[in-house]
Amino acid sequence: MAPTSPPIYHTSLLTAIDARSHVHLIIGSNSLAATRVTQSLASGARPILISPASADSQPLHHILESHISSGTLIYHPRPVTENDILTLGRPEINGIVDAVFITSPDLAQSKRISDFCKRNRVPVNVVDAPALCTFSLLSTYTDGPLQIGVTTNGRGCKLASRIRREVAASLPTGMGEACGKWGEVRRRIQDEDKAATEKRKAVDSSVEVDEGVDDSVDQTAAFNKLVTETEAEDAKTRRIRWLSQVCEYWPLKKLVEVGKENIEAVLDAYHASSANSQQDQLIEQQSLPSKKGLLILAGSGPGHPDLLTRATHRAILSADLILADKLVPSGVLDLIPRRTPVSIARKFPGNADAAQEELLTSALAAFNEGKTVLRLKQGDPFLYGRGGEEVDFFKQRGLGHRVVVLPGLTSALSAPLFAGVPVTQRDVADQVLICTGTGKKGRPPTPPEWVGSRTVVFLMALHRIGGLVAELTGYTADEEERGKKERGLWPVDTPCAVVERASCPDQRVIRTTLRHVEEAIEAEGSRPPGLLVVGRACEALYTPDKDRNWVVEDGFAGLELDGVRDIGV
Ligand code: SAH
């Protein structure tokens, strides 16, 4: 059975509101009203409670009573009116309240108030009535300045609260305090940078005054200490980068421990950082613009960001410049920090060489500025990725010793796997061949001969599937002409699979045979990038439906490790 495509859920815009001095109107008298009052007070807002105090209405919850008597809660014992919403708020916003929370079970009143709030753009929340709300509250965990909020967007608050508990439990004790301490470090660095910039400006202006003076006499000490704009900028970004690297890589426990020490010690740790830990050394080497540039050539895997290696992920986080190939999947590009400049190769048919040249030239320029440049490629960088040519380019310029190549999971082997095709299997296939369907300058490459126990994977082949199948199953005009008809031809009923966008949410697999594959692609259309796997391995774990010429399977569930794993068999 073909897997159904995953449902698309609506998600909310999560924000954190600074509610200090806001006026919250809370309608009700029960324990939920008490909870809202407590939440409102915790956020620094001023809650106002309205609920009728008639004999037949519910008595006020004892927490509400105690807030009223201590003066932290204003109480109006009467039914709510529309006018309350427009008049009880802060004078600076003309008396409109900042938010309304309805906790009373009176549905007719809730509807009326909610409609009024919506018309007047006052945020409103009604307990257990999602349709009447313009916002919902998260299940929250608070520890000092750290807050974690979870929502399932109406799918169940119990579940949200369980998830929130599990997330919070996974944090080391003292995380909130550590957030506070690290925030201070950040502020200190920013303040010092600001002071340094101002000092530099002052020095710069004194230099202007000195202009024209014989520089052998009367030189100020500051003149000698003059730092250039770029050096100062480098030093600035270096410290902030150090901080973000530390936050990114240090285990949370270490962040908590270090955060407990005084801030001076933390800043000193910056200067002495790499001394005692290998991990820190790596951070230093990879993130700080040293005088020497570094070129990292890395593969990003077939598509899903979870298929990146840790080394490549680290390179993504620490590079000064990223030059990515067009095929690098968006899930991977999403991991690039916002501050890192990225350029994506403008390769299209006919200009691949020019785009490659452009990319290598900008890599070289950044390298010469002492930057760490990441050339990010799709799959594995050396497998039909021109990675070898790039290493050669840098070697020829004497930079071979500053090039690091990181492997990637190739689509040639992972796409068949995600399509449930074991490329080798005892008694089915004992060898694998990876080929390209497109030769140099667009000419077809020599077709591989048929070997019954071989699985063949063709990359860059689907756009000329008809030609490829003809070459595999028959002799080429050239072979006919030269009378060279020794190559083993492929039986037209050899099973094959077209695997497109492997490991992406829109992965698609078409299972068929060489006889029908061209027709299947024509009928189903293409979803690049895709490849073709041919050989008996395609039916090692899959039994074809004799009544159908091809079967289409849509969707990707290959990394759902928690569920029962069905690889489309
Ligand atoms: N270096 C890459 C291959 C680059 S050639 C690697 O190791 O994967 C580009 C070809 O790879 C595409 O034409 C297509 O045939 C194949 N390809 C890349 N990503 C793919 C994916 N997610 N699913 C299926 N095929 C893919």
Side-chain angles (χ1 to χ4, degrees), residues 16-26 35-48 67 71-74 90 92 98-99 101 142 144 147:
I17 297 172
D18 180 352
R20 280 172 295 181
S21 85
H22 282 196
V23 173
H24 291 163
L25 193 59
I26 295 158
T35 308
R36 293 291 174 265
V37 167
T38 310
Q39 287 168 323
S40 174
L41 287 169
S43 72
R46 285 186 290 129
I48 297 177
H67 279 304
T72 44
L73 176 65
I74 298 169
R90 296 177 279 153
E92 63 267 38
D98 293 283
F101 299 86
T142 305
Q147 283 187 288

Side-chain angles (χ1 to χ4, degrees), residues 302 327 378-380 383-384 410-411 459-460 499 501-502 529-531:
L327 274 185
Q378 203 257 348
D380 182 89
L383 193 87
Y384 296 120
T410 177
S411 63
L459 307 186
M460 298 177 278
V499 191
R501 302 188 58 75
L531 52 73

Side-chain angles (χ1 to χ4, degrees), residues 155-177:
R155 270 33 169 237
C157 53
K158 285 274 177 293
L159 189 54
S161 121
R162 165 81 198 280
I163 294 169
R164 184 255 304 152
R165 282 203 313 273
E166 297 253 337
V167 172
S170 70
L171 297 175
T173 333
M175 198 65 243
E177 192 190 343

Side-chain angles (χ1 to χ4, degrees), residues 75-343:
Y75 175 46
H76 297 295
R78 56 173 168 78
V80 65
T81 67
E82 277 84 344
N83 198 42
D84 289 328
I85 295 163
L86 301 182
T87 55
L88 293 179
R90 296 177 279 153
E92 63 267 38
I93 52 167
N94 298 331
I96 302 174
V97 299
D98 293 283
V100 174
F101 299 86
I102 307 177
T103 65
S104 72
D106 180 345
L107 203 66
Q109 171 191 271
S110 301
K111 171 101 180 61
R112 180 172 57 82
I113 298 292
S114 159
D115 285 349
F116 183 79
C117 286
K118 285 178 182 172
R119 275 200 306 280
N120 289 281
R121 286 192 279 161
V122 175
V124 58
N125 176 273
V126 184
V127 166
D128 287 338
L132 301 184
C133 297
T134 59
F135 73 97
S136 58
L137 290 156
L138 309 182
S139 172
T140 58
Y141 164 84
T142 305
D143 176 13
L146 171 68
Q147 283 187 288
I148 298 173
V150 175
T151 174
T152 55
N153 281 294
R155 270 33 169 237
C157 53
K158 285 274 177 293
L159 189 54
S161 121
R162 165 81 198 280
I163 294 169
R164 184 255 304 152
R165 282 203 313 273
E166 297 253 337
V167 172
S170 70
L171 297 175
T173 333
M175 198 65 243
E177 192 190 343
C179 289
K181 289 281 164 81
W182 283 98
E184 266 173 61
V185 174
R186 189 185 162 79
R187 216 176 22 252
R188 276 279 300 273
I189 291 181
Q190 281 169 339
D191 287 352
E192 284 171 17
D193 285 345
K194 212 167 132 211
T197 310
E198 264 146 32
K199 201 165 155 200
R200 186 158 41 85
K201 276 191 194 143
V203 171
D204 284 353
S205 58
S206 82
V207 171
E208 269 168 31
V209 173
D210 281 348
E211 251 177 12
V213 176
D214 176 354
D215 64 5
S216 64
V217 286
D218 276 352
Q219 245 175 31
T220 61
F223 188 90
N224 278 334
K225 285 210 186 105
L226 180 65
V227 271
T228 65
E229 190 89 22
T230 23
E231 277 167 356
E233 281 304 312
D234 276 0
K236 264 167 77 170
T237 47
R238 200 180 312 147
R239 294 208 310 175
I240 281 293
R241 285 178 72 88
W242 166 77
L243 187 62
S244 52
Q245 294 288 312
V246 162
C247 294
E248 188 72 51
Y249 291 121
W250 280 10
L252 291 183
K253 258 195 169 145
K254 184 168 174 184
L255 282 171
V256 170
E257 277 160 25
V258 176
K260 280 191 188 134
E261 294 161 23
N262 69 42
I263 298 297
E264 294 305 327
V266 174
L267 275 175
D268 286 350
Y270 162 69
H271 302 293
S273 67
S274 54
N276 47 12
S277 126
Q278 232 191 355
Q279 195 180 17
D280 291 351
Q281 257 172 25
L282 235 154
I283 293 168
E284 287 276 272
Q285 282 166 9
Q286 295 199 350
S287 67
L288 307 184
S290 55
K291 283 281 164 270
K292 285 187 195 158
L294 183 67
L295 289 151
I296 306 173
L297 185 65
S300 63
H304 197 294
D306 284 1
L307 301 174
L308 277 178
T309 63
R310 289 173 62 139
T312 299
H313 189 198
R314 216 158 46 209
I316 289 176
L317 296 175
S318 61
D320 297 309
L321 170 69
I322 298 186
L323 303 169
D325 275 352
K326 196 181 66 183
L327 274 185
V328 171
S330 61
V332 171
L333 295 178
D334 288 346
L335 298 173
I336 299 176
R338 260 186 299 166
R339 58 166 194 278
T340 311
V342 191
S343 135

Side-chain angles (χ1 to χ4, degrees), residues 301-304 327 329 377-386 408-415 458-463 499-504 507 527-532:
H304 197 294
L327 274 185
K377 307 193 138 278
Q378 203 257 348
D380 182 89
F382 277 1
L383 193 87
Y384 296 120
R386 299 180 79 159
L409 205 61
T410 177
S411 63
L413 296 175
S414 56
F458 291 95
L459 307 186
M460 298 177 278
L462 298 182
H463 63 282
V499 191
E500 294 167 293
R501 302 188 58 75
S503 83
C504 301
Q507 169 179 305
R527 201 179 278 186
L531 52 73
L532 179 74

